[in-house]
Amino acid sequence: NSKTLLLAIWLLWLCALPCGARTERLASPNGTLSLEAGLNADGQPFYRLNRGNETIVAPSRLGFTLNDGTLATGMTVKKALRSGHDDTWIQPWGEEAEIKNRYNQLTLQLQEKKGHRRRVDIVFRLYDDGLGLRYEFPA
């Protein structure tokens, strides 16, 4: 019957997903840009940036090489937090006095699965005309 077929297709799709892979999506405030970020099957952070159907930044790996290991593979997502911001600030110089500060934000809280179990947060800010990202190292 059709319910059994749908369940079988869903289970096949679920089994085809790489183990440990996780992807989060975020759109800019007006929807012009879209971001995919997360972990690949090896637990390595990555991101991709699109404008409409065009890829602006191909899937790009993130991480750090440290003296006693790496924060590049073997990671897990502890939390994915989203927020938005919209305000205007005044600058004392330049062509425009008022600067619009509007973005959507995704914070991936990552932790090593083994070893030191260190944490790193990767914060993505997606504006209508660009992307910012930073690493934060919780105490």
Side-chain angles (χ1 to χ4, degrees):
N1 81 36
S2 63
K3 288 182 183 178
T4 304
L5 179 60
L6 286 175
L7 179 61
I9 291 170
W10 182 79
L11 286 172
L12 285 171
W13 175 82
L14 187 63
C15 292
L17 289 175
C19 183
R22 179 171 174 180
T23 302
E24 301 287 336
R25 288 175 173 69
L26 184 71
S28 64
N30 72 4
T32 300
L33 298 176
S34 62
L35 172 79
E36 294 175 46
L39 300 177
N40 65 19
D42 295 326
Q44 180 160 27
F46 75 94
Y47 77 102
R48 175 201 331 240
L49 183 64
N50 297 311
R51 180 184 298 128
N53 293 327
E54 178 186 1
T55 298
I56 303 299
V57 177
S60 300
R61 296 176 289 181
L62 300 167
F64 278 91
T65 300
L66 306 171
N67 288 337
D68 62 347
T70 67
L71 288 173
T73 59
M75 305 296 287
T76 187
V77 176
K78 300 302 283 180
K79 283 186 184 176
L81 306 171
R82 287 178 171 71
S83 62
H85 186 85
D86 188 356
D87 72 358
T88 302
W89 60 276
I90 307 298
Q91 69 173 346
W93 62 87
E95 294 178 19
E96 296 182 32
E98 292 187 353
I99 303 297
K100 194 104 172 113
N101 187 24
R102 189 171 95 151
Y103 59 84
N104 289 328
Q105 181 169 297
L106 171 66
T107 302
L108 294 178
Q109 295 180 346
L110 307 177
Q111 184 172 23
E112 292 176 301
K113 290 181 185 177
K114 299 177 183 175
H116 298 289
R117 300 190 53 81
R118 292 173 286 211
R119 286 219 15 237
V120 61
D121 296 347
I122 304 176
V123 181
F124 300 91
R125 282 192 179 171
L126 194 54
Y127 299 83
D128 292 332
D129 59 356
L131 166 70
L133 74 91
R134 73 175 181 261
Y135 294 90
E136 295 178 349
F137 296 92

